[in-house]
Amino acid sequence: MDITLEQAVRARLITAEDQELPVPATLRYDSGDPFAVHVDFPAEVSLEGEAVTWTFGRGLLEQGVSGPAGSGDVHIWPCGRTLTVMEFHSPLGMALLQFDTGALRRFLLRSYAVVAAGREDVAAALDRGLQALLGNV
Protein backbone atom coordinates (compact mmCIF):
# COMPACT_ATOMS: atom_id res chain seq x y z
CA MET A 1 0.00 0.00 0.00
CA ASP A 2 1.35 3.41 -0.97
CA ILE A 3 1.71 6.12 1.65
CA THR A 4 1.26 9.78 0.78
CA LEU A 5 2.65 12.57 2.95
CA GLU A 6 1.42 16.13 2.66
CA GLN A 7 2.74 19.17 4.47
CA ALA A 8 1.31 22.66 4.10
CA VAL A 9 3.97 25.36 3.79
CA ARG A 10 4.04 29.07 3.21
CA ALA A 11 6.16 30.34 0.40
CA ARG A 12 7.04 33.88 -0.58
CA LEU A 13 6.89 34.72 -4.27
CA ILE A 14 9.60 37.21 -5.20
CA THR A 15 8.26 39.53 -7.89
CA ALA A 16 10.18 41.42 -10.58
CA GLU A 17 9.74 44.50 -8.38
CA ASP A 18 11.45 42.69 -5.46
CA GLN A 19 8.18 42.42 -3.53
CA GLU A 20 7.50 39.31 -1.46
CA LEU A 21 3.97 37.94 -1.77
CA PRO A 22 2.80 35.11 0.52
CA VAL A 23 1.77 31.98 -1.39
CA PRO A 24 0.24 28.83 0.11
CA ALA A 25 1.78 25.57 -1.07
CA THR A 26 1.71 21.89 -0.19
CA LEU A 27 4.73 19.61 -0.20
CA ARG A 28 3.76 16.06 -1.17
CA TYR A 29 5.57 12.73 -1.21
CA ASP A 30 4.11 9.43 -2.42
CA SER A 31 5.87 6.16 -1.62
CA GLY A 32 4.58 4.82 -4.95
CA ASP A 33 6.86 7.34 -6.70
CA PRO A 34 9.75 7.22 -4.22
CA PHE A 35 12.26 9.38 -6.09
CA ALA A 36 9.94 12.37 -6.56
CA VAL A 37 8.58 15.20 -4.45
CA HIS A 38 5.76 17.49 -5.48
CA VAL A 39 5.02 21.11 -4.70
CA ASP A 40 1.33 21.91 -5.21
CA PHE A 41 0.07 25.48 -5.63
CA PRO A 42 -3.64 26.38 -5.56
CA ALA A 43 -5.47 27.79 -8.59
CA GLU A 44 -5.77 31.29 -7.14
CA VAL A 45 -1.99 31.86 -7.36
CA SER A 46 -1.41 30.61 -10.91
CA LEU A 47 -1.47 32.63 -14.13
CA GLU A 48 -3.83 30.14 -15.76
CA GLY A 49 -6.28 30.01 -12.83
CA GLU A 50 -5.68 26.27 -12.38
CA ALA A 51 -3.86 24.37 -9.66
CA VAL A 52 -0.19 23.80 -10.50
CA THR A 53 2.09 20.97 -9.41
CA TRP A 54 5.86 20.95 -9.81
CA THR A 55 7.49 17.53 -9.58
CA PHE A 56 11.21 16.97 -9.19
CA GLY A 57 13.67 14.62 -7.53
CA ARG A 58 13.73 14.17 -3.78
CA GLY A 59 17.52 14.12 -4.10
CA LEU A 60 17.40 17.55 -5.74
CA LEU A 61 15.51 18.96 -2.76
CA GLU A 62 17.98 17.31 -0.37
CA GLN A 63 20.92 18.85 -2.23
CA GLY A 64 19.25 22.23 -2.62
CA VAL A 65 18.69 22.89 1.08
CA SER A 66 22.47 22.57 1.59
CA GLY A 67 23.90 24.09 -1.59
CA PRO A 68 23.03 25.13 -5.15
CA ALA A 69 21.40 22.28 -7.09
CA GLY A 70 19.44 21.70 -10.23
CA SER A 71 19.46 22.28 -13.93
CA GLY A 72 16.70 22.67 -16.45
CA ASP A 73 13.30 23.70 -15.09
CA VAL A 74 14.01 23.54 -11.33
CA HIS A 75 16.88 25.13 -9.39
CA ILE A 76 17.15 25.13 -5.58
CA TRP A 77 19.65 26.84 -3.30
CA PRO A 78 19.97 28.04 0.30
CA CYS A 79 19.52 31.75 0.99
CA GLY A 80 21.15 32.43 4.33
CA ARG A 81 20.61 30.06 7.23
CA THR A 82 16.82 29.93 7.33
CA LEU A 83 15.56 30.24 3.75
CA THR A 84 15.73 28.09 0.65
CA VAL A 85 14.95 29.42 -2.82
CA MET A 86 13.20 27.41 -5.53
CA GLU A 87 13.27 28.72 -9.08
CA PHE A 88 10.76 27.19 -11.49
CA HIS A 89 10.96 27.73 -15.26
CA SER A 90 8.05 27.11 -17.64
CA PRO A 91 7.07 28.26 -21.13
CA LEU A 92 5.01 31.00 -19.40
CA GLY A 93 8.00 32.39 -17.53
CA MET A 94 9.90 31.96 -14.29
CA ALA A 95 8.81 31.94 -10.66
CA LEU A 96 11.17 32.56 -7.75
CA LEU A 97 9.93 31.42 -4.32
CA GLN A 98 11.45 31.34 -0.85
CA PHE A 99 10.62 28.58 1.63
CA ASP A 100 11.55 28.08 5.27
CA THR A 101 14.50 25.67 5.23
CA GLY A 102 13.36 24.05 8.49
CA ALA A 103 10.01 23.15 6.93
CA LEU A 104 11.72 21.60 3.91
CA ARG A 105 14.09 19.60 6.13
CA ARG A 106 11.18 18.33 8.28
CA PHE A 107 9.37 17.24 5.12
CA LEU A 108 12.46 15.40 3.87
CA LEU A 109 12.89 13.63 7.22
CA ARG A 110 9.26 12.52 7.12
CA SER A 111 9.71 11.23 3.55
CA TYR A 112 12.83 9.27 4.55
CA ALA A 113 10.85 7.72 7.41
CA VAL A 114 8.45 6.35 4.78
CA VAL A 115 11.08 5.28 2.21
CA ALA A 116 14.69 5.49 3.36
CA ALA A 117 17.33 6.82 0.99
CA GLY A 118 18.73 3.89 -0.97
CA ARG A 119 15.64 1.77 -0.27
CA GLU A 120 13.60 3.04 -3.18
CA ASP A 121 12.24 0.22 -5.35
CA VAL A 122 13.91 1.16 -8.63
CA ALA A 123 12.29 -1.61 -10.69
CA ALA A 124 8.76 -0.75 -9.54
CA ALA A 125 9.34 2.97 -10.11
CA LEU A 126 10.69 2.25 -13.60
CA ASP A 127 7.71 0.03 -14.42
CA ARG A 128 5.24 2.72 -13.30
CA GLY A 129 7.09 5.38 -15.26
CA LEU A 130 7.14 3.33 -18.43
CA GLN A 131 3.45 2.47 -18.01
CA ALA A 132 2.60 6.16 -17.62
CA LEU A 133 4.75 7.08 -20.61
CA LEU A 134 3.73 4.29 -22.98
CA GLY A 135 0.27 3.36 -21.74
CA ASN A 136 -0.89 0.07 -23.24
CA VAL A 137 1.45 0.15 -26.24
Side-chain angles (χ1 to χ4, degrees):
M1 181 170 89
D2 291 339
I3 297 171
T4 300
L5 299 175
E6 291 187 348
Q7 179 176 315
V9 292
R10 296 296 279 169
R12 288 173 293 286
L13 175 68
I14 310 302
T15 69
E17 297 80 27
D18 286 329
Q19 294 179 330
E20 295 183 16
L21 304 175
V23 174
T26 302
L27 300 170
R28 188 167 38 89
Y29 179 78
D30 184 343
S31 64
D33 189 6
F35 293 103
V37 295
H38 312 274
V39 182
D40 301 322
F41 297 98
E44 61 267 15
V45 300
S46 80
L47 294 174
E48 299 283 314
E50 297 178 10
V52 174
T53 297
W54 282 87
T55 302
F56 50 92
R58 180 169 69 163
L60 175 63
L61 181 58
E62 177 74 31
Q63 291 172 352
V65 296
S66 299
S71 60
D73 294 340
V74 179
H75 300 259
I76 305 172
W77 66 91
C79 181
R81 297 180 68 144
T82 61
L83 297 175
T84 298
V85 175
M86 290 188 196
E87 182 178 291
F88 300 109
H89 294 261
S90 80
L92 297 176
M94 184 267 293
L96 190 67
L97 294 114
Q98 290 179 336
F99 292 82
D100 176 70
T101 301
L104 298 178
R105 288 186 190 276
R106 283 188 296 280
F107 174 75
L108 282 167
L109 287 173
R110 292 177 62 214
S111 78
Y112 289 129
V114 172
V115 178
R119 295 286 200 174
E120 298 93 345
D121 185 348
V122 176
L126 181 61
D127 286 346
R128 280 189 292 278
L130 287 173
Q131 178 66 30
L133 181 63
L134 301 174
N136 293 324
V137 175

